[in-house]
Amino acid sequence: MEALYAITTGILTASGVYLTLRGRTFPVVVGLTLLSYAVNLFLFSMGGLTTHGAALVGTSEHYADPLPQALVLTAIVIGFAMTAFAIILAMRSRGDLGSDSVDGNRTDREDPRENKA
């Protein structure tokens, strides 16, 4: 089970870094989302993966640690808010610059603010 979590976390991290380094805004947003999923899996696995563990202390000898679960739940909510903000920021950048390039190069249209004399 630990090997599956480690491989999945590694694949999500590698894919997230690859997409974050792309030149367009949508792959960057997807890459940041994949990185947040990888961090969530990492946080969850740090609590120790137990099977058939009780959720309440005292009902069984083995119980699941609730702290990583609470951290992951909080990280999911923060990740959702970050993704929504990044999408709105990308849409605003696309509207203002006329391009969805990350470095802000204007390849789609001319800047109406520039004076060509």
Side-chain angles (χ1 to χ4, degrees):
M1 182 88 146
E2 288 86 5
L4 178 65
Y5 263 69
I7 289 170
T8 305
T9 304
I11 289 172
L12 282 174
T13 302
S15 301
V17 168
Y18 175 76
L19 288 173
T20 303
L21 296 175
R22 304 302 301 166
R24 300 287 195 195
T25 54
F26 183 71
V28 169
V29 171
V30 173
L32 289 174
T33 304
L34 288 179
L35 281 174
S36 71
Y37 291 162
V39 169
N40 290 345
L41 276 179
F42 178 73
L43 286 175
F44 193 69
S45 65
M46 285 296 101
L49 301 173
T50 59
T51 57
H52 306 294
L56 299 174
V57 178
T59 57
S60 176
E61 293 181 11
H62 301 288
Y63 64 93
D65 189 11
L67 182 63
Q69 296 173 10
L71 287 174
V72 168
L73 183 61
T74 305
I76 288 170
V77 172
I78 292 171
F80 179 73
M82 181 210 50
T83 303
F85 177 72
I87 289 172
I88 295 300
L89 192 64
M91 289 172 59
R92 174 72 186 258
S93 173
R94 169 78 174 165
D96 287 349
L97 297 175
S99 172
D100 67 341
S101 179
V102 174
D103 58 0
N105 288 340
R106 305 181 116 265
T107 57
D108 294 346
R109 65 180 185 190
E110 293 181 17
D111 189 4
R113 293 172 279 184
E114 290 180 5
N115 294 331
K116 294 184 179 184

